[in-house]
Amino acid sequence: MAINVQTAVDIISNLTLSLNFEIIPIENATSRICAQDVFATSFLPKFNNSAMDGYAIIYEDKNSELEIIDIIFAGDNNDKLLEKNSCIKIMTGAKIPENSTAIIPKEDIEELNDNKIKILKNVKEFQHIRYIGEDIKQNELLINIGDEINFSKIALLASQGISHIKVYKKPKVTIFTSGEELKLHYEKIESFQIYNSNTPTFISRTQELGCDVTFIGQAKDTIEAIKELVNNSLDADLIITSGGVSVGDADFTKEAFYELGFETLFDGINVKPGKPTVFGKIKDTYILNLPGNPLASALIFEMFGKILIQKFLGSKNIHQNFILGKIKDTFCTKKGKTTIIPGFFDGEFFEVSQKRSPGMVSILSSCNSMIIIDDEVETLKKDNLIKILPINWKFFSDIKKDFLTHE
Ligand SMILES: Nc1nc2c(c(=O)[nH]1)N[C@H]1C(S)=C(S)[C@@H](COP(=O)(O)OP(=O)(O)OC[C@H]3O[C@@H](n4cnc5c(N)ncnc54)[C@H](O)[C@@H]3O)O[C@H]1N2
Ligand code: MOO
């Protein structure tokens, strides 16, 4: 029996998966999910240092003529202390004398004769000093288990001299399809056949999301052929198939699954499009059977499959987040079923895709997001606030915009 959207989300979100890990160099860790809590091994900065090229002084001496008694470059290990009415020339990043309480930028002084300087501007105590640990404290938690490693996390790791990191192994995903009418894009096609666009779509999408993806071909519409492909894929964490699950005379996918001991987690979701979505497992391999209709399968994958992938990646972020925006035009829908509507969000308005029949292939290439409309809703009035779920979210535009925030 079909379940509601929230129940399907809960079933997927609450799965307990046992994930494997590996240790890899941080240079290769981009987009991987951290499998350990990472703590800072040292303070950052490691020592008090100068934020400017200039002069280290004792604050109380600011109104005197100061004699330059030394020079310290970044990387020097110089322990010289300041004396009364002296200063030390210093470079940005250099360790400051232990008793220095202000740095004077070089443009704020006048050079006098006799190797002396005079300060021309007001001085604040402790100005332009970067103190030990003000950026990172030793033993501070830097990265949580389940965080995605990106450039900013790599910066943290490198700043601590951490060369390797424990990450979850990429989930192994196998993709196949069944359907006598389908041909792969590199095969010869007859007038009564169609190209299999779903398989390349999900290969690309799951790769994009960080999975290790195997394609094992297409099954003929027979129970034996489907069983052979499934049996061949039981080393995967997840099998994604599409088609063959509705009520047609050649829809054998479900039957094949059951003959292999399929344990159903849900069979049907009360959602439009994509109702005939099946999810379950055979032994330790989960199986997501999406509808054959291309737009239906793509939207169902974006709504439910992506949560599943987040789980398999080891991410702690498994809940769909949204952006509040306005609907561009009044939109009417039928009550009674939760509906997934693709569209384009320009940063302010969400424009519903006019074409959105479940069997279409072309739609998502001109959409960047979707909204999920509750089954109670009949009308969304122009400018209503709606919750927008990103699909392809590199937030650039082909229209030049004023991106500055004004009062
Ligand atoms: N009498 C009924 N018929 C249908 C129902 C129903 O409730 N009663 N549900 C409809 C809905 S909704 C959907 S969705 C589809 C789902 O069917 P399947 O998931 O079994 O998919 P197929 O029948 O195999 O194919 C449906 C459609 O999609 C095309 N397709 C399939 N695979 C691919 C692929 N890899 N690449 C491109 N296109 C694909 C296929 O040619 C069909 O046109 O059932 C409805 N029928
Ligand atoms: O899932 Mo079907 O594609 O609802 O139309």
Side-chain angles (χ1 to χ4, degrees), residues 23-271:
I23 292 171
I24 59 171
I26 65 165
E27 292 84 349
N28 300 341
T30 307
S31 302
R32 301 294 292 274
I33 304 293
C34 200
Q36 63 177 116
D37 284 335
V38 179
F39 294 90
T41 51
S42 57
F43 290 103
L44 195 70
K46 267 183 126 135
F47 44 82
N48 298 344
N49 69 89
S50 174
M52 291 282 186
D53 295 322
Y55 297 85
I57 69 159
I58 297 169
Y59 172 74
E60 286 72 22
D61 294 343
K62 62 184 188 299
N63 298 320
S64 310
E65 290 185 359
L66 304 174
E67 186 185 349
I68 307 169
I69 58 169
D70 207 345
I71 177 164
I72 308 179
F73 291 92
D76 282 357
N77 188 14
N78 184 331
D79 289 330
K80 193 165 176 102
L81 292 175
L82 291 159
E83 297 148 22
K84 178 139 189 66
N85 292 335
S86 77
C87 66
I88 291 178
K89 198 170 189 187
I90 196 153
M91 307 303 146
T92 304
K95 189 168 132 187
I96 63 169
E98 219 169 277
N99 60 345
S100 171
T101 46
I103 303 292
I104 315 301
K106 64 190 293 188
E107 48 278 33
D108 294 352
I109 61 109
E110 182 187 339
E111 282 185 34
L112 307 172
N113 294 329
D114 306 332
N115 201 33
K116 285 189 174 169
I117 62 162
K118 192 171 104 187
I119 300 169
L120 303 174
K121 289 214 174 145
N122 271 345
V123 179
K124 282 195 200 140
E125 197 170 11
F126 311 122
Q127 71 176 34
H128 305 310
I129 297 175
R130 303 192 286 210
Y131 280 100
I132 180 169
E134 70 176 23
D135 191 353
I136 294 173
K137 299 265 180 295
Q138 193 170 27
N139 299 325
E140 182 181 325
L141 180 60
L142 293 179
I143 304 178
N144 287 282
I145 192 164
D147 275 348
E148 182 173 327
I149 309 290
N150 59 15
F151 67 96
S152 64
K153 301 284 191 284
I154 300 276
L156 292 175
L157 294 165
S159 77
Q160 293 291 313
I162 297 171
S163 63
H164 287 69
I165 182 149
K166 187 166 147 185
V167 294
Y168 290 112
K169 281 192 173 167
K170 289 185 174 192
K172 276 197 202 163
V173 174
T174 293
I175 315 249
F176 77 84
T177 322
S178 63
E180 297 291 339
E181 78 279 29
L182 301 171
K183 285 280 172 190
L184 284 160
H185 47 284
Y186 47 79
E187 288 176 326
K188 188 169 166 285
I189 197 168
E190 304 292 344
S191 58
F192 50 87
Q193 295 171 322
I194 63 161
Y195 284 119
N196 170 355
S197 57
N198 290 354
T199 296
T201 303
F202 293 113
I203 290 176
S204 165
R205 191 60 173 133
T206 48
Q207 269 172 355
E208 218 172 35
L209 295 173
C211 303
D212 192 354
V213 187
T214 312
F215 168 53
I216 50 154
Q218 286 180 186
K220 299 242 177 242
D221 270 339
T222 67
I223 295 180
E224 284 316 311
I226 298 168
K227 273 167 72 178
E228 193 196 344
L229 284 200
V230 175
N231 263 329
N232 182 59
S233 312
L234 292 179
D235 61 332
D237 299 304
L238 174 66
I239 297 174
I240 299 177
T241 71
S242 62
V245 290
S246 65
V247 292
D249 290 349
D251 289 338
F252 294 127
T253 308
K254 264 196 217 167
E255 235 175 300
F257 289 167
Y258 286 117
E259 286 194 14
L260 291 170
F262 186 73
E263 187 189 319
T264 309
L265 292 166
F266 58 77
D267 185 349
I269 310 173
N270 274 320
V271 66

Side-chain angles (χ1 to χ4, degrees), residues 271-276 291 293 296 358-359:
V271 66
K272 203 175 66 184
K275 186 175 179 206
N293 277 337

Side-chain angles (χ1 to χ4, degrees), residues 271-277 291-297 300 337 357-359:
V271 66
K272 203 175 66 184
K275 186 175 179 206
T277 300
N293 277 337
L295 179 61
S297 62
I300 290 292
K337 217 177 216 183
S357 169

